[in-house]
Amino acid sequence: MEIVVCDVVIVGSGLAGLRAATAAAAVSENLEICVVTKVAGPRSHSISAEGGMAAVIYPEKTGDSPQLHAYDTVKGGDFLVDQDAALLLAEEAPREVFFLEKIGVPWTKEPDGSIALRKFGGMSRPRTVFAKDKTGFYVMSALYRYAKGIPNIKFYEEHLVSKIVVKHGRFHGVVALDMRRGEVRFFKAPAGVIAAGGGGRMFRITTMGYLNTGEVLGFALREGTPLKDMEFVQWHPTALVPSGILISEAARAEGAYLVNRLGERFMKRYAPEQMELAPRDIVSRAIAMECKAGRGFIWKGELCYVGLDIRHLDPSRVKERLPLLLEVAKTYAGIDPFQELIPVAPAVHYFMGGIHTDLYGRVLDAYGNWVKGLWAAGEAASVSVHGANRLGSNSLSECAVWGRIAGEEAAKYALENRNGAVEEYIRSIAEEEERRIFYVLGRRETGGVPAAHVKSALQNAMMRGAGIFREAGSTAEAISELIKLMSMFRNINVNDTSRIYNMELREVVELDGMLQAAYALLLSAYFRTESRGAHYRLDYPKRDDKHWLRHTLVYKYGDSFIAAYQPVKIERWPPEARQY
């Protein structure tokens, strides 16, 4: 096994990972920063972000303020947001907007040269900066190019992390499979940042790419780190039917309507003031309710959807600000949006929950102690800034802000804890992981099943037990199904015995972590007997602040999963009725 020595190792190369790398490199040019990512080039899922990035950049012009941004975030998250995190996001986001502009992000501008702003769902002021409706593409292109130009950042692309090495409460590095060479490497580092994104591919219907399997969440769980608030999974209201490709909230920010098959702007029934710009959990449930009431369109007799109408908008403005929408609608639905409704339906879009961290991204164990040397940032982390529901365009802000914070803090820690020789017991852990990975290649169990079969069953179980609407019976059935799948996983066979680009082996490694994280998600959803934000229980349809104004923590003790809770940090804004 090759041992790669780094000062800071970063898992993931999306916006949070790249921002962590650039921030760490800026602390000292003498630090060796390793970015370990399972994708090639700037292809992490951040590139798919379309709508924009929330930040209060012109408070005098818009009547906005960081406090108002934080309040909107707290209310949007149905008051499960830790309010110190919301304030930190709002205060630091403008700095990141201007940093990204400095390195080459072409924010869309007004005629006077100022950065243009959109008003996104749940926000009381226009504060979303954007680059047409391809914001993620422009941000990732600029940030990747910038990072590649920094000498002390080294990329290890197409490396699939299979283990986070934590021993005696301290981080020691990660083990990863080099898909290009079929070799296992141990990245030894005193400091690490987990920025591996979410796990939408645990579900059948999602806007997330095929790489978003969420296995690293499961690997963190296995090392004794709790996953926090995993029951809160955001469904984006407008995914293109039938492909599931995201149709950005930017369309509704520019004035697009949602209509049912009767031609009604049905959001007046659910959010009479904000209408289509209500938070995403409310809009997604509204679409589902229209379908339940028989007022939706039906695609090929099986999938219910509604229409997104841009026919009343100025075509020149749409072409200028929503070019990707026009391209996607034509290519993947075969329609002209200026003449026809765009068929849309909700799809899994974002995990509000993730690896348990403190306000500054430090990863915590089940006892609330810092796992020394380890941080998490972006969608993989839960600093509790989104609570029960994320507001649109807050995600890019989160990734940039906590990516920078985690990168800077990890670099400072690494300077004080420079690498020494690899301890024998740490080497043995890495070597055991190498044997475990390659054991799978030679395994031939009687009655063994392919990974694809287990993954498909997992996705179906998650749709039944953790969908837009939930109730105890269906979630309990999904938990039982997952227990069977975990047992079945031990008998998975891999038919491809090669080591180079073995995609079947990759699927097994991913599935290993997916099952763990999915179980934590279902357990969290089963125990939370209330409805809050994206978690809607048909059997408990009301929010219950008396019993459930608290975060869910799920951790492993041996082979058992344990659920625990901690209070929400309420500093300025007590819970109130959430009306839009």
Side-chain angles (χ1 to χ4, degrees):
M1 170 188 285
E2 179 185 357
I3 297 177
V4 180
V5 178
C6 317
D7 291 299
V8 179
V9 61
I10 295 164
V11 180
S13 61
L15 173 53
L18 292 180
R19 190 65 187 98
T22 55
V27 170
S28 172
E29 61 183 16
N30 297 319
L31 290 172
E32 186 73 24
I33 315 298
C34 296
V35 178
V36 181
T37 173
K38 68 177 179 179
V39 303
R43 297 185 180 179
S44 293
H45 192 61
S46 296
I47 205 168
S48 300
E50 297 175 10
M53 177 174 172
V56 180
I57 59 171
Y58 301 128
E60 300 85 2
K61 177 180 177 181
T62 61
D64 205 355
S65 68
Q67 291 73 29
L68 187 54
H69 184 182
Y71 169 74
D72 287 345
T73 298
V74 170
K75 182 180 176 183
D78 219 346
F79 294 89
L80 201 74
V81 174
D82 282 346
Q83 295 180 13
D84 56 352
L87 285 163
L88 182 60
L89 173 79
E91 290 164 357
E92 294 295 324
R95 171 180 172 182
E96 294 303 308
V97 167
F98 293 119
F99 166 79
L100 291 170
E101 183 177 44
K102 180 180 177 181
I103 66 170
V105 175
W107 300 121
T108 296
K109 301 292 182 66
E110 298 289 2
D112 64 1
S114 63
I115 297 174
L117 299 172
R118 284 173 172 147
K119 182 180 178 184
F120 260 44
M123 294 192 176
S124 54
R125 298 287 189 278
R127 68 171 68 100
T128 298
V129 305
F130 58 95
K132 300 181 179 179
D133 59 349
K134 302 180 181 181
T135 306
F137 170 79
Y138 288 115
V139 167
M140 284 292 292
S141 298
L143 197 49
Y144 183 76
R145 183 171 58 250
Y146 179 70
K148 291 288 280 188
I150 299 176
N152 57 326
I153 297 177
K154 188 170 183 180
F155 284 81
Y156 292 84
E157 298 177 347
E158 296 188 308
H159 277 66
L160 177 64
V161 169
S162 67
K163 185 174 181 63
I164 305 166
V165 180
V166 174
K167 196 70 175 176
H168 305 313
R170 185 180 298 273
F171 172 76
H172 295 276
V174 299
V175 180
L177 173 63
D178 180 352
M179 296 296 295
R180 296 173 177 176
R181 297 173 179 81
E183 301 169 352
V184 172
R185 288 192 170 97
F186 174 44
F187 294 86
K188 181 185 182 299
V193 179
I194 306 300
R201 287 289 159 176
M202 296 177 195
F203 291 78
R204 176 73 60 194
I205 302 171
T206 180
T207 64
M208 294 193 203
Y210 285 98
L211 60 95
N212 290 100
T213 44
E215 73 281 356
V216 175
L217 300 176
F219 300 153
L221 192 65
R222 189 171 281 158
E223 298 303 318
T225 296
L227 299 183
K228 181 165 60 183
D229 292 341
M230 286 293 287
E231 64 267 44
F232 299 105
V233 178
Q234 181 169 89
W235 289 69
H236 196 288
T238 56
L240 187 66
V241 173
S243 66
I245 296 173
L246 176 66
I247 299 296
S248 174
E249 189 169 326
R252 285 173 282 137
E254 294 292 342
Y257 302 152
L258 288 170
V259 297
N260 59 23
R261 68 178 179 84
L262 304 178
E264 298 175 308
R265 282 187 68 186
F266 57 84
M267 282 307 301
K268 62 188 176 185
R269 279 192 280 271
Y270 306 96
E273 293 184 16
Q274 295 277 12
M275 299 284 282
E276 284 84 4
L277 290 181
R280 290 171 177 174
D281 61 316
I282 294 174
V283 181
S284 291
R285 280 195 297 273
I287 293 172
M289 291 298 292
E290 290 297 297
C291 284
K292 282 181 175 290
R295 293 189 290 267
F297 302 92
I298 303 296
W299 182 80
K300 291 192 176 181
E302 55 183 34
L303 180 60
C304 183
Y305 66 93
V306 297
L308 183 68
D309 194 351
I310 70 165
R311 293 173 297 183
H312 57 287
L313 300 181
D314 177 9
S316 62
R317 185 177 176 89
V318 172
K319 290 174 183 177
E320 175 192 352
R321 297 200 168 194
L322 302 170
L324 185 60
L325 178 147
L326 299 177
E327 179 183 333
V328 165
K330 180 179 179 180
T331 303
Y332 296 98
I335 64 170
D336 177 359
F338 292 124
Q339 303 297 325
E340 305 169 77
L341 294 174
I342 303 171
V344 294
V348 168
H349 183 64
Y350 193 89
F351 280 25
M352 273 72 76
I355 297 170
H356 180 36
T357 76
D358 68 7
L359 177 62
Y360 300 103
R362 293 183 295 188
V363 173
L364 306 178
D365 65 16
Y367 301 99
N369 300 316
W370 177 37
V371 178
K372 289 184 174 58
L374 188 57
W375 286 258
E379 191 174 356
S382 178
V383 299
S384 304
V385 72
H386 302 307
N389 173 70
R390 175 177 70 80
L391 293 185
S393 74
N394 264 351
S395 58
L396 293 186
S397 306
E398 172 203 18
C399 288
V401 168
W402 273 279
R404 174 178 57 78
I405 290 172
E408 288 176 347
E409 294 301 311
K412 293 173 185 176
Y413 178 87
L415 284 172
E416 297 175 357
N417 297 269
R418 300 308 291 267
N419 266 308
V422 180
E423 298 91 337
E424 192 56 39
Y425 73 96
I426 297 300
R427 182 189 297 271
S428 66
I429 291 173
E431 290 174 345
E432 176 59 30
E433 177 64 10
E434 180 182 37
R435 287 190 291 271
R436 186 181 78 90
I437 292 300
F438 289 131
Y439 165 75
V440 175
L441 288 178
R443 185 170 61 188
R444 291 294 177 274
E445 301 289 347
T446 302
V449 296
H453 173 82
V454 178
K455 185 175 180 179
S456 179
L458 164 64
Q459 291 172 332
N460 289 335
M462 296 301 284
M463 294 297 293
R464 292 193 302 269
I468 293 177
F469 298 115
R470 306 166 178 182
E471 52 88 25
S474 59
T475 303
E477 289 175 6
I479 291 172
S480 297
E481 177 67 13
L482 226 65
I483 292 172
K484 294 176 185 176
L485 293 176
M486 287 178 175
S487 178
M488 194 181 297
F489 177 80
R490 292 192 287 268
N491 294 320
I492 281 179
N493 286 339
V494 176
N495 294 315
D496 183 356
T497 58
S498 67
R499 292 194 175 191
I500 307 300
Y501 277 116
N502 189 326
M503 303 308 288
E504 194 176 0
L505 177 59
R506 168 176 161 165
E507 190 170 37
V508 171
V509 173
E510 290 174 338
L511 190 57
D512 185 21
M514 289 172 74
L515 288 166
Q516 303 288 316
Y519 193 87
L521 193 161
L522 289 172
L523 205 64
S524 301
Y526 181 79
F527 285 130
R528 184 172 286 274
T529 53
E530 67 158 355
S531 289
R532 185 185 296 269
H535 174 72
Y536 192 89
R537 288 281 298 258
L538 294 172
D539 45 353
Y540 295 94
K542 301 294 184 182
R543 194 178 83 187
D544 182 359
D545 289 335
K546 180 179 179 181
H547 299 101
W548 287 107
L549 193 61
R550 53 184 182 165
H551 300 294
T552 305
L553 301 176
V554 173
Y555 62 95
K556 290 197 74 174
Y557 184 78
D559 290 331
S560 300
F561 290 78
I562 310 295
Y565 301 92
Q566 72 173 33
V568 177
K569 296 177 184 176
I570 299 174
E571 298 186 347
R572 297 194 182 192
W573 304 288
E576 62 186 55
R578 185 169 172 255
Q579 296 177 340
Y580 292 95

